Amino acid sequence: DGVERPTSAMFGHRGLMVLLSTVWMCVAAFLMLRELIGVATVRAWVTSPVDCDPEMVVRLQTGVNELAQALGITRRIALIVSDRISVPAVIGVLTPAILIPVSMLSGVSVEQWRIIIAHELAHIRRWDAAVDLAQRIVESLLFFNPAVRWLGRQMRIEREACCDAIAARHCGQPVEVART
């Protein structure tokens, strides 16, 4: 009659596929949940007040506004000082903000601040937060593939290099950008 009848071997493969699919779903869900918790944690950090020099923050915000204009960024970019981070970072896709560690408010020259801000603004101009979000989703779903992990690492390295190049174009010598 042309209809294939199920065999015990087919049920064995089906059981294995169900098991593998279940394991994949559980691991992918765990990795996605871990990413969501990370986002929520960072969001909580930015709402906690930090005691710092308000004059310095105003000067830095002015620098952010000037460099954003020079880079062609029309969105308003907030500058947030945090005691929970150790390196500057960008958060947010639609309403981006630059996070600055409170520990860096002293001991960093004006030129170094300009380079740091230009680098972070380059991430915003390039929409790197959106790309990184999509990349993290793909990496969570394809966690089992070493090529995806390697490619993700390479993409992060290249994003940083691109932002360094933009900062160098707007702030001077590439050697000084690399030092900063």
Side-chain angles (χ1 to χ4, degrees):
D1 64 2
V3 176
E4 186 177 322
R5 304 279 181 237
T7 64
S8 61
M10 289 176 73
F11 284 116
H13 290 298
R14 183 174 178 215
L16 179 61
M17 290 306 294
V18 168
L19 175 65
L20 289 175
S21 297
T22 302
V23 169
W24 171 81
M25 259 193 324
C26 290
V27 173
F30 169 77
L31 293 172
M32 294 277 207
L33 181 62
R34 186 177 72 171
E35 292 296 332
L36 285 173
I37 290 170
V39 168
T41 301
V42 170
R43 284 285 172 195
W45 290 349
V46 302
T47 58
S48 59
V50 174
D51 185 32
C52 63
D53 179 13
E55 191 175 303
M56 178 65 159
V57 175
V58 168
R59 279 194 310 246
L60 288 174
Q61 183 67 57
T62 301
V64 167
N65 297 342
E66 290 170 0
L67 278 168
Q69 186 176 18
L71 286 166
I73 299 170
T74 57
R75 297 180 284 165
R76 185 187 176 294
I77 310 299
L79 180 75
I80 301 169
V81 179
S82 175
D83 59 354
R84 305 276 179 109
I85 61 170
S86 58
V87 295
V90 171
I91 61 164
V93 175
L94 299 177
T95 55
I98 297 175
L99 290 178
I100 299 291
V102 71
S103 62
M104 285 182 67
L105 288 179
S106 61
V108 177
S109 73
V110 173
E111 187 54 37
Q112 287 174 320
W113 271 120
R114 188 169 164 73
I115 292 168
I116 290 167
I117 290 170
H119 176 94
E120 298 306 326
L121 286 171
H123 282 297
I124 293 169
R125 185 176 109 186
R126 291 169 30 87
W127 291 85
D128 284 347
V131 172
D132 190 59
L133 176 64
Q135 183 178 336
R136 289 179 184 275
I137 290 169
V138 169
E139 288 173 348
S140 293
L141 294 174
L142 300 175
F143 64 88
F144 54 87
N145 189 330
V148 170
R149 289 194 305 272
W150 176 83
L151 184 59
R153 197 169 32 255
Q154 293 306 118
M155 287 175 65
R156 286 183 182 87
I157 291 168
E158 290 302 321
R159 271 200 300 270
E160 292 302 319
C162 288
C163 292
D164 285 344
I166 291 170
R169 255 194 319 254
H170 288 275
C171 296
Q173 300 300 319
V175 172
E176 189 58 35
V177 171
R179 275 192 206 123
T180 300

